[in-house]
Amino acid sequence: MLLSGWGRFPRADCRVLRPANAAAVPDVLAGQGAAIARGMGRSYGDSALNPAAVIDMRGLSRLLAFDPETGLLEAEAGVVLGDIIAVFLPRGWFPPVTPGTRFVTLGGMIAADVHGKNHHGAGSIGSHIAWLDLLGADGEVRRCSPTENAELFTLTIGGMGLTGMILRCALRLMPVASGWIRQTQIAAPDLDAALAVFEANMASPYSVAWIDCLATGKALGRSLITLGDHAAPDDLPAERRAQPFAVPARRRLSVPIDAPGWALNGISVKAFNALYHARGLSALGERLVSWDSYFYPLDAVLHWNRIYGRQGFAQFQCVLPLATSRAGLQALLEAISAAGTGSFLAVLKRMGPQESALSFPMEGYTLALDFPARARPLALLERLDRIVLDHGGRFYLAKDSRMKADVLHASDPRAAAFRERREALGLVRHFSSLQSERLGL
């Protein structure tokens, strides 16, 4: 069947195999050449595409065990994050790390080593995985943890599914006292002010900024920074304290058809950015918001990827070291504004320190941008790649759909070491994706 990532670019005809449960995965995998696991298809590019064999892991959807004393949840890899929240938030537990959508599987989260608005304090999801069970090409299932098969554990977290099939795992949930978030929104008139807000609020559990990537001159980098923390019952209005986990359901919208290609252009994006900034200025200060609207604003719009039209879009996400973040961000924003090809989904976050085999984060700032998959924006992205390289940054494989192998390897020496270990362990010929082939992983 024709498959793509969430960006709908690129697309590929893939042979899809659907094991009904964990016990069926070894038989499905046996006799295949190279294969790749796929969950909800929310990585943006080609990391879950393989024309020879895509293993759809959504049949592995059971919650296996939970310890209410420690918050340790054992679950199969195809369990969807939103289902975990639905079951455990009413019991006072929440994922310790979440990406910007709840429509992802546990296996996919581990493979991409997802991060959230709290990376500066909580790290990525791999920091909260106690163990995982990994099916190898030899049909053996290995329990991997920081103390058991430790190298394979490290390679798998952030390894984009290239070390085997994750069957189940143990995730440490964190206790929360309500389903509400104490949100503070702050306007920053320029890039320096935005970075100053982040640095002054490192104690805030969550922080994220929308950044106007088409602003120029003195307004370059103007942003709306949103801080957050889980609210206690005493923070809630009196009428909500008796049921602190009951939050009103959000109205769901949907994009029913592909938008025409001409609808998203420099003029429309600039107009959107101006309106979004003005609306944000009217909502400054503190207020209570639901967990759903704080963590997953885009989940309220089903099929929002259709706004980019049939050609799809490419997401660009880089992280710059703390020492070069200011200069690198300025150079990126100047290049984007000069090109007039902006992104209305432009997100800036502060990252904390992290060391791993291939995971994306490093201490500094990460910028994520969406661009239509058309010739002019794609040419701009190649210029942005070079700016990132010049400032010592690297790129997020879960968002990548078009990077060249030389760019990846120049930005991240770990990529060559990862490939060498895959070869030494005999994994290259058994687990691969269009992305791994394109990037030499």
Side-chain angles (χ1 to χ4, degrees), residues 81 97-104 109 114-117 295-296 396:
L81 179 61
V97 171
T98 174
T101 176
R102 65 188 189 285
F103 300 127
V104 290
M109 291 172 68
V114 297
H115 59 274
K117 299 175 177 68
F295 291 107
Y296 313 113
Y396 193 16

Side-chain angles (χ1 to χ4, degrees), residues 92-410:
W93 298 92
F94 197 75
V97 171
T98 174
T101 176
R102 65 188 189 285
F103 300 127
V104 290
T105 62
L106 280 178
M109 291 172 68
I110 294 169
D113 196 19
V114 297
H115 59 274
K117 299 175 177 68
N118 60 345
H119 187 273
H120 59 284
S124 56
I125 195 67
S127 303
H128 306 274
I129 300 296
W131 54 260
L132 58 88
D133 285 346
L134 191 71
L135 174 65
D138 57 2
E140 293 295 318
V141 177
R142 294 172 176 84
R143 175 66 54 91
C144 303
S145 74
T147 58
E148 187 177 1
N149 294 308
E151 182 191 28
L152 204 50
F153 180 76
T154 301
L155 291 172
T156 299
I157 294 174
M160 302 306 296
L162 299 173
T163 61
M165 300 283 167
I166 302 170
L167 300 182
R168 60 190 70 84
C169 69
L171 168 67
R172 301 181 190 92
L173 301 181
M174 69 175 185
V176 295
S178 81
W180 296 88
I181 301 295
R182 290 187 289 114
Q183 174 182 291
T184 303
Q185 187 151 293
I186 303 168
D190 55 34
L191 180 59
D192 284 329
L195 299 182
V197 171
F198 275 109
E199 295 301 322
N201 289 278
M202 289 291 287
S204 176
Y206 300 103
S207 59
V208 64
W210 168 85
I211 188 166
D212 185 350
C213 60
L214 285 179
T216 58
K218 292 182 179 179
L220 184 78
R222 70 175 181 175
S223 306
L224 297 169
I225 301 98
T226 306
L227 310 177
D229 192 5
H230 293 275
D234 289 347
D235 297 320
L236 307 182
E239 64 273 16
R240 294 197 180 278
R241 292 174 187 169
Q243 294 182 302
F245 297 102
V247 299
R250 281 196 298 168
R251 181 185 177 189
R252 306 292 176 191
L253 304 174
S254 180
V255 180
I257 60 173
D258 293 322
W262 52 262
L264 206 63
N265 53 56
I267 295 173
S268 62
V269 171
K270 192 175 184 67
F272 172 87
N273 283 3
L275 288 171
Y276 191 92
H277 185 258
R279 182 183 177 190
L281 292 179
S282 68
L284 299 180
E286 297 183 7
R287 61 182 177 133
L288 286 172
V289 299
S290 72
W291 63 270
D292 194 12
S293 61
Y294 184 80
F295 291 107
Y296 313 113
L298 286 176
D299 282 354
V301 184
L302 301 177
H303 308 296
W304 64 261
N305 53 351
R306 291 175 177 168
I307 65 175
Y308 291 92
R310 292 181 180 179
Q311 290 180 291
F313 68 97
Q315 183 162 106
F316 172 93
Q317 185 167 0
C318 68
V319 60
L320 298 165
L322 198 56
T324 62
S325 286
R326 169 64 179 80
L329 289 170
Q330 178 174 337
L332 290 169
L333 293 171
E334 287 176 343
I336 295 165
S337 60
T341 306
S343 165
F344 69 87
L345 295 174
V347 177
L348 182 68
K349 293 195 291 281
R350 175 65 154 85
M351 310 291 277
Q354 183 166 337
E355 296 296 332
S356 64
L358 199 63
S359 291
F360 165 69
M362 68 167 73
E363 187 166 21
Y365 283 86
T366 177
L367 179 67
L369 307 157
D370 293 339
F371 294 93
R374 299 197 290 265
R376 186 181 171 196
L378 291 176
L380 170 63
L381 289 177
E382 293 196 5
R383 297 198 295 275
L384 300 186
D385 289 345
R386 295 299 162 183
I387 292 172
V388 173
L389 291 180
D390 290 344
H391 292 84
R394 61 185 182 223
F395 306 90
Y396 193 16
L397 295 181
K399 303 292 183 69
D400 164 61
S401 60
R402 30 63 55 191
M403 184 171 33
K404 292 181 171 62
D406 65 311
V407 173
L408 172 67
H409 288 266

Side-chain angles (χ1 to χ4, degrees), residues 1-4 11-17 36 38 48-54 434:
M1 63 187 297
L2 190 64
L3 291 180
S4 72
R11 296 177 172 92
D13 281 312
C14 299
R15 178 168 168 260
V16 180
L17 306 169
I36 194 69
R38 180 182 174 95
L49 302 182
N50 184 326
V54 169
L434 290 182

